[in-house]
Amino acid sequence: MIEYRSKRRSDDSVEVRLFFPTNETWTGKETWPKRHLDHLSVHLHGVLILEAGFGPGIAPEPFFALRIDDTRPGDRLEIHWRTNQGQSGVLEIILP
Amino acid sequence: MSPISPPRRRFLRLLAWCSGWTLLPRLARPDDDRLRQSLEELTGGVEPAFHPGVGLRMPSRAVSRLAVPVRVNCRLRHVDMIALLVRDHPDPLAARFNLSPRTRPYIRTHLRILKDSEVIAVVRADGRYFRQSAKISVSEGCS
């Protein structure tokens, strides 16, 4: 489950914030995570606008914010994600 | 006080030169090798130049080592790649973003940094590579 927030800014760009909460408890003493977010892609109307790859250095509960230009209210944004252990998901956002 | 005689001076110079050659490789950390290797894989062997247009913003002291907020905001044109590397990580490349022209060269994310280190942002703009770095202390923060 991804939590998100999207907001149209005064310069007409849209800032999208994504947060990937996990139910795991982190003590900070783990040396290196077994599971981490591996791949993320963002599509606007089916067109790839951002692709990201991650290593184990990403936070255990990843957070991202990106800004998109040339959008209109009601545009459809699709976010595809995958972990290094094969879990994946899709989130659809209607832009403000 | 008598001046150092030339043979002695030559000997001291030779000693300093030899000790430098033997000690320096031992002082070089394996973390630096990993970082250099990751940078080479990222840029294809091109050395990224420092550029003030690459804005890397992060706290100098982290509140949590598991989620250190990092923001990259570039003032360069035609940016199509932003990468974040952490010097002391076993796998230094923490994140890499490929951007399209519709996406602004602006990224915010959280990194996991377990010990005092340096975060390096590498940006590709117009086919050229630029970098910016910032040091962070996590030793005083919470887990």
Side-chain angles (χ1 to χ4, degrees):
Chain A
M1 184 71 188
I2 312 177
E3 293 175 13
Y4 72 93
R5 187 171 291 176
S6 55
K7 182 182 170 189
R8 187 165 291 275
R9 291 160 40 84
S10 55
D11 58 2
D12 212 30
S13 67
V14 174
E15 180 165 323
V16 179
R17 298 177 188 178
L18 305 169
F19 180 58
F20 297 73
T22 60
N23 293 326
E24 296 166 41
T25 306
W26 299 90
T27 62
K29 291 175 183 166
E30 299 89 354
T31 51
W32 212 238
K34 287 178 186 164
R35 188 170 71 91
H36 63 85
L37 190 66
D38 188 52
H39 185 263
L40 179 93
S41 60
V42 181
H43 303 256
L44 183 67
H45 285 305
V47 179
L48 182 70
I49 60 164
L50 182 137
E51 193 173 25
F54 305 102
I58 201 70
E61 294 192 319
F63 165 84
F64 308 102
L66 63 141
R67 288 182 184 167
I68 308 165
D69 278 328
D70 302 330
T71 59
R72 283 180 295 183
D75 279 355
R76 189 170 50 88
L77 199 70
E78 262 183 28
I79 293 136
H80 299 251
W81 58 272
R82 191 180 66 228
T83 67
N84 62 330
Q85 291 184 346
Q87 293 112 336
S88 61
V90 182
L91 171 73
E92 199 174 298
I93 299 175
I94 303 297
L95 293 183
Chain B
M1 191 173 158
S2 64
I4 301 173
S5 62
R8 191 179 168 197
R9 193 177 295 165
R10 273 203 299 274
F11 172 72
L12 287 174
R13 237 181 245 159
L14 183 71
L15 190 68
W17 189 80
C18 289
S19 60
W21 274 105
T22 52
L23 287 177
L24 275 178
R26 289 179 194 188
L27 292 174
R29 298 181 300 171
D31 294 337
D32 287 346
D33 291 339
R34 284 196 287 262
L35 179 70
R36 198 176 305 119
Q37 193 181 348
S38 292
L39 270 173
E40 278 177 8
E41 284 171 12
L42 190 69
T43 63
V46 179
E47 182 68 27
F50 276 94
H51 198 288
V54 182
L56 173 63
R57 203 163 167 187
M58 55 187 284
S60 56
R61 286 182 183 177
V63 176
S64 168
R65 291 182 287 182
L66 297 177
V68 177
V70 178
R71 188 177 84 177
V72 182
N73 192 9
C74 298
R75 294 194 305 272
L76 301 168
R77 286 183 175 186
H78 306 127
V79 172
D80 63 349
M81 191 275 291
I82 295 175
L84 289 166
L85 298 100
V86 185
R87 180 177 286 276
D88 294 310
H89 273 186
D91 187 356
L93 183 61
R96 177 190 170 141
F97 300 89
N98 291 326
L99 312 176
S100 79
R102 295 188 81 165
T103 318
R104 290 205 174 178
Y106 169 93
I107 291 291
R108 274 173 62 196
T109 189
H110 289 172
L111 297 181
R112 175 193 183 100
I113 300 174
L114 297 180
K115 55 181 178 177
D116 294 359
S117 189
E118 184 182 18
V119 174
I120 300 160
V122 177
V123 166
R124 185 171 62 204
D126 271 332
R128 296 169 66 196
Y129 290 93
F130 302 100
R131 68 186 276 182
Q132 192 59 263
S133 60
K135 291 199 169 158
I136 180 153
S137 167
V138 294
S139 48
E140 291 176 20
C142 304
S143 62

